[in-house]
Amino acid sequence: MHVSVEQGDITKVETEAICLGIFQGVQRPGGAAGAVDRALDGALSEVLADGDFSGKKGEVFWLRTRGKLGAKRVLLVGLGPSERFSADVVREVSAVAARVAKSLPELTALAHGAGIGGLDPQLAAQATVEGTLLGLYRFEKFKKPEEPIKLERLRIVEHSAEKIEQLKRGAQQGQIIADSVCLARDLANEPGQSLTPRELARRAQELAQELGLRCEVFDEKILEQMGMGGILAVGKGSDEPPRLIVLEYNPHPIPPPLRERGQGEGRPIVLAGKGITFDSGGISIKPREGMEAMKYDMSGAAAVLGVMRAVARLKLPISVVGLVAAAENLPSGKALKPGDVIRISNGKTVEVTNTDAEGRLVLSDALVYAQRYNPQAVIDVATLTGACTIALGKEAAGLFSNDESLAQKIQKAAQQTGERVWPLPLYEEYKEIIKSEIADIKNSANKGPQAGASIGAIFLKEFVNYPWAHLDIAGVAYDVESRLYHAKGATGYGVRLLMQLLQDW
Ligand code: BES
Ligand code: MN
Ligand code: ZN
């Protein structure tokens, strides 16, 4: 998509279509919409007065301009009630507008919300671009498109010269971030058949090359030498070997290697993604219904790769490390068995009471690996538990943290991006539940359903010695219908949230 920001008069721009956002219940449009209405001799207020268009969020209405405007058509899009307006509404309505205009070559819009909406112009432009790109997203690797998307140009027009620079910055950020969300969606949507741990590593290397990131991939032999018993145990049931993928972004021109950094500035933020490319449950096999969705069990990894791309493209001033613990969880004659005891790379032993609680096993090795960076903070992102979906549904990720100030930063980023998080507890008492008779801990409770998301998190907490947060994205990673900028399948959740966090750090 080609995105531009231009200074001009919305009534004069020569274009296929201009898109105007209208609040619910408005009868006499003001601002730019008012100017368009006057140029159209009141055609717009007539539509509003007759109730043909009410401004409900996502409602659309086409008007022909009959040569009274530079534009051939006007696309009205409802912004919903002004009390509930936000940048996320801008994302949603921009997505709807882009889909409705997908067969036109170009769409011209105001940065929704930058005028009467009262949003910061940069944020308004960013959200407009993000919504447009996310709304047009489709996963078409294996499918002939029903109606091809012809829309290849988005023009953002603004009257006042002072806003142009901010709008340009917002549009550029929006484009980079949305493209990175789409990368995460593509990875997560891809079947386990082709996106194996080795292939995920190859994609990461390719990405690193393109972006100038340092990339290291540890294969099963090196994992063995490093004592990464969690990743190896989960991977051993499959013919596809596991991998630990490390990506490093370092903005400083003459770098001491990230791992040798001392105290203070320059210490990295580490992101760790669960990269189970397919989760059958292993010997503790899952029921057949819906098992196909377990190709999304690497959505955390996908988000981490998306963030690394955006961080590099936006040249953020802080160091960021992305870790991906990749494995395929399958049953076989070589598979990990319930009752087995394994050793994680920090020496802790784990009795595996359920091979379907595999995410915590691979992540524990990644969290131990993160210790060597002396990180400012570590955030892991994982489709960890079905229990988190039971608790929060598809509206928020579960947030767990051992550091109040980190948790607050994440909550703030969630509010800003609309990628919601909800805090869940890490009570000491949960540790009792994962005590084992024969090992240091066990990987799942065998006493009925209780606090499953917190138990997963308390397990991970055993492997951290730094400010840490865990995002359980099982509910929000795929098939979320409540946002108009989502498509079926992967959402790319986490990329926008973590980018906001890193940009504000
Ligand atoms: N990948 C699943 C969690 C999951 C379930 C994600 C549904 C998305 C949708 C995870 O590996 C898992 O199987 N967790 C178990 C843990 C249990 C065995 C302690 C679960 O949630 O049932
Ligand atoms: Mn599982
Ligand atoms: Zn899993």
Side-chain angles (χ1 to χ4, degrees):
M1 175 81 63
H2 181 265
V3 180
S4 61
V5 173
E6 306 162 27
Q7 192 189 351
D9 179 342
I10 194 80
T11 63
K12 305 235 164 68
V13 208
E14 293 193 13
T15 177
E16 289 285 338
I18 55 170
C19 174
L20 286 179
I22 308 280
F23 281 113
Q24 193 166 332
V26 166
Q27 292 287 322
R28 305 223 129 266
V36 169
D37 189 35
R38 283 189 294 280
L40 292 178
D41 303 324
L44 179 52
S45 26
E46 205 173 297
V47 166
L48 297 172
D50 290 350
D52 293 338
F53 176 85
S54 70
K56 240 182 73 193
K57 187 177 82 181
E59 189 183 354
V60 290
F61 194 92
W62 284 106
L63 285 164
R64 285 273 164 174
T65 60
R66 302 269 188 97
K68 291 175 188 159
L69 234 60
K72 212 163 150 185
R73 313 167 182 82
V74 173
L75 173 60
L76 303 181
V77 54
L79 299 175
S82 56
E83 320 85 75
R84 270 193 269 154
F85 187 64
S86 67
D88 211 44
V89 171
V90 173
R91 252 173 236 113
E92 293 199 277
V93 303
S94 304
V96 171
R99 280 190 203 128
V100 169
K102 70 172 181 300
S103 50
L104 298 175
E106 67 168 21
L107 182 62
T108 301
L110 299 151
H112 299 297
I116 300 169
L119 293 180
D120 166 63
Q122 182 176 328
L123 178 61
Q126 182 179 339
T128 301
V129 174
E130 285 176 359
T132 303
L133 298 178
L134 296 178
L136 291 176
Y137 174 84
R138 296 166 173 181
F139 183 64
E140 285 177 337
K141 198 165 171 176
F142 304 107
K143 193 175 194 272
K144 186 137 56 60
E146 278 142 40
E147 284 170 86
I149 293 167
K150 295 213 190 89
L151 191 60
E152 55 184 23
R153 187 153 178 233
L154 173 68
R155 300 167 65 185
I156 294 177
V157 173
E158 167 60 46
H159 196 70
S160 93
E162 308 95 78
K163 290 186 186 167
I164 295 293
E165 273 318 300
Q166 293 177 72
L167 291 174
K168 281 190 174 159
R169 223 175 309 135
Q172 193 219 5
Q173 286 194 17
Q175 188 157 24
I176 290 174
I177 292 173
D179 283 343
S180 305
V181 174
C182 292
L183 166 70
R185 287 182 179 180
D186 275 343
L187 289 168
N189 280 328
E190 189 159 336
Q193 170 195 36
S194 47
L195 199 71
T196 58
R198 276 186 297 174
E199 178 60 14
L200 191 58
R202 203 190 60 74
R203 305 276 179 99
Q205 275 166 327
E206 212 171 70
L207 191 69
Q209 187 109 72
E210 191 185 307
L211 299 167
L213 301 173
R214 218 183 134 248
C215 180
E216 237 178 320
V217 174
F218 300 123
D219 65 15
E220 62 276 25
K221 280 174 235 105
I222 307 174
L223 292 172
E224 195 78 59
Q225 284 163 19
M226 296 196 300
M228 300 227 175
I231 298 179
L232 285 165
V234 173
K236 75 185 184 153
S238 169
D239 290 347
E240 289 292 338
R243 292 289 183 264
L244 177 69
I245 305 163
V246 183
L247 285 171
E248 295 183 359
Y249 167 76
N250 181 358
H252 307 289
I254 308 162
L258 283 182
R259 266 178 249 159
E260 289 157 29
R261 294 278 167 79
Q263 301 294 313
E265 295 309 295
R267 289 162 58 211
I269 314 278
V270 179
L271 308 174
K274 171 177 173 182
I276 299 296
T277 57
F278 186 75
D279 180 14
S280 70
I283 296 295
S284 313
I285 200 158
K286 288 180 180 295
R288 57 191 165 190
E289 288 79 24
M291 204 201 274
E292 68 278 9
M294 285 302 114
K295 71 170 182 176
Y296 297 116
D297 214 18
M298 35 59 70
S299 296
V304 169
L305 295 182
V307 173
M308 293 310 292
R309 178 188 182 277
V311 161
R313 280 282 152 86
L314 287 172
K315 300 191 166 60
L316 294 201
I318 51 167
S319 302
V320 183
V321 176
L323 305 178
V324 168
E328 185 176 68
N329 189 22
L330 291 186
S332 78
K334 293 204 178 68
L336 179 69
K337 293 174 287 295
D340 287 354
V341 174
I342 63 173
R343 190 182 293 276
I344 307 301
S345 43
N346 66 344
K348 271 197 188 162
T349 56
V350 177
E351 180 192 1
V352 178
T353 47
N354 190 326
T355 66
D356 198 10
E358 84 297 338
R360 61 201 72 180
L361 301 179
V362 299
L363 277 174
S364 57
D365 275 327
L367 292 173
V368 171
Y369 189 81
Q371 293 180 11
R372 72 182 59 201
Y373 288 99
N374 184 21
Q376 291 188 58
V378 178
I379 301 152
D380 76 71
V381 194
T383 46
L384 205 71
T385 68
C388 194
T389 317
I390 305 285
L392 303 172
K394 299 205 150 273
E395 294 314 319
L399 167 65
F400 301 84
S401 182
N402 62 0
D403 186 281
E404 192 46 43
S405 116
L406 176 60
Q408 275 174 14
K409 285 194 184 91
I410 294 172
Q411 283 172 295
K412 182 166 170 237
Q415 263 160 17
Q416 287 170 298
T417 56
E419 289 199 318
R420 289 199 191 112
V421 299
W422 194 260
L424 291 171
L426 281 168
Y427 299 130
E428 279 293 310
E429 286 80 356
Y430 294 134
K431 259 179 76 175
E432 290 297 315
I433 301 174
I434 55 166
K435 276 205 170 138
S436 163
E437 293 292 327
I438 67 162
D440 296 332
I441 49 174
K442 59 187 181 188
N443 78 331
S444 81
N446 16 28
K447 281 186 284 179
Q450 52 174 333
S454 285
I455 290 168
I458 210 85
F459 181 96
L460 296 178
K461 186 166 174 276
E462 290 293 303
F463 302 92
V464 308
N465 64 359
Y466 37 64
W468 160 75
H470 159 58
L471 292 169
D472 192 331
I473 62 166
V476 294
Y478 60 93
D479 290 351
V480 178
E481 284 170 5
S482 58
R483 304 293 172 93
L484 298 172
Y485 48 80
H486 284 167
K488 282 246 164 56
T491 59
Y493 178 99
V495 176
R496 293 190 300 106
L497 171 73
L498 293 170
M499 280 311 294
Q500 188 70 47
L501 178 78
L502 294 172
Q503 288 184 296
D504 293 346
W505 194 267

